[in-house]
Amino acid sequence: MSRLFCNGQPADAAALGAALVNYGHFTSLQVRNGAAQGWALHLQRLQQATHELFDTTLDGAQLCVWLNDALAQCDMRDASVRITVFSRAFDFRQPLHAVPVDVLVGIAAPVAPPATARAVMSLRYQRELAHIKHVGTFPLFHHRRHAMREGFDDVVFVDEAGRVSEGSTWNLAFWDGAQVVWPQAAALRGVAERLLIAGLDRLGQPHTSCEIGVDALSRFGGAVACNATGLWPVARIDAARFEQSDRLLQLLQQALGQTPWQELQT
């Protein structure tokens, strides 16, 4: 991140040191002209995870003030934003103590999704508390590093039952020739995925979710990855190749376009 702010102030060493405790959660988003797609969902994610991890309430209005002020101080209307919720008062020795939460806002240059189709390797792994976008990202990056050493661009996770769940930092949609298919397994249901589902509904495009075994990927013609950065086609997973990923990409881009950009307010 190019600049960091904690509770509305430039982050100092004390704030950053507390963030290293590795107990917290976050959301990442792309801001364009001071707005974001699915901002209400990002805010909802932060509030729900704050309640689950800290048993307290996150002040959404105050967060929006801090976020907009950070963008203004950086003089950026287009940016990559990461909002992390943690607590400088959290003590892992006494984790049940009620503590106030802190908000770390990171502002960096905007980024775009990969421009070319990705080759992905499957790997048996299940994230802890998969439904929370928590700060325990070490395994995600380590497994992606392993996949790249093996000649792939990224990694997709498979659970103990052999079901495809999610990518390292993204969700995955498949095309079976008639409808969009979402893998059904424990995973972080990302904001981009939720926006795409809503967009497909608006378009009247059929979609479903079902358990997808890693050994059954060859039945799909296309695959597309999605996260807050955007959408990109998947060329193959292991030996299974997807010749219709560009077609699925066009459909999902149209679906995402159904979602208006929201101002960063409650």
Side-chain angles (χ1 to χ4, degrees), residues 35-218:
Q37 284 186 300
W39 168 242
L41 295 177
H42 285 285
L43 187 57
Q44 180 186 70
R45 163 192 278 171
L46 292 170
Q47 291 174 321
Q48 290 177 343
T50 296
H51 178 73
E52 185 165 347
L53 296 185
F54 294 100
D55 291 318
T56 191
T57 300
L58 177 66
D59 187 335
Q62 180 64 78
L63 184 152
C64 290
V65 170
W66 287 336
L67 172 55
N68 282 290
D69 185 59
L71 289 166
Q73 290 193 52
C74 295
D75 193 24
M76 295 176 72
R77 297 282 291 170
D78 296 349
S80 295
V81 173
R82 170 169 165 152
I83 303 169
T84 304
V85 178
F86 69 109
S87 177
R88 288 178 287 186
F90 178 77
D91 184 351
F92 70 90
R93 301 170 191 83
Q94 301 183 65
L96 294 181
H97 280 193
V99 293
V101 293
D102 299 285
V103 176
L104 188 68
V105 175
I107 307 293
V111 298
T116 58
R118 306 280 89 180
V120 178
M121 184 184 82
S122 68
L123 187 142
R124 190 67 59 92
Y125 175 70
Q126 176 67 62
R127 288 195 314 112
E128 296 285 342
L129 296 176
H131 65 289
I132 294 180
K133 194 175 180 71
H134 54 74
V135 296
T137 55
F138 171 85
L140 312 183
F141 304 151
H142 179 70
H143 292 319
R144 183 171 187 264
R145 185 169 182 265
H146 171 68
M148 294 178 74
R149 278 185 164 177
E150 295 297 314
F152 294 86
D153 299 302
D154 213 325
V155 63
V156 67
F157 299 130
V158 178
D159 66 14
E160 289 299 321
R163 300 172 300 186
V164 173
S165 58
E166 59 185 329
S168 60
T169 58
W170 38 271
N171 293 111
L172 187 63
F174 293 98
W175 176 251
D176 69 359
Q179 62 183 346
V180 179
V181 183
W182 303 94
Q184 191 176 80
L188 177 68
R189 304 267 70 103
V191 169
E193 179 184 289
R194 294 172 67 180
L195 295 179
L196 287 169
I197 289 172
L200 290 170
D201 287 337
R202 293 189 186 101
L203 293 173
Q205 169 62 48
H207 62 91
T208 189
S209 63
C210 67
E211 296 183 355
I212 299 175
V214 70
D215 57 351
L217 291 176
S218 59

Side-chain angles (χ1 to χ4, degrees), residues 29 31-40 43 64 67-68 71 77 260-266:
L29 58 146
V31 173
R32 299 293 184 269
N33 196 29
Q37 284 186 300
W39 168 242
L43 187 57
C64 290
L67 172 55
N68 282 290
L71 289 166
R77 297 282 291 170
W261 290 72
Q262 298 176 306
E263 293 185 359
L264 305 175
Q265 301 175 357
T266 54

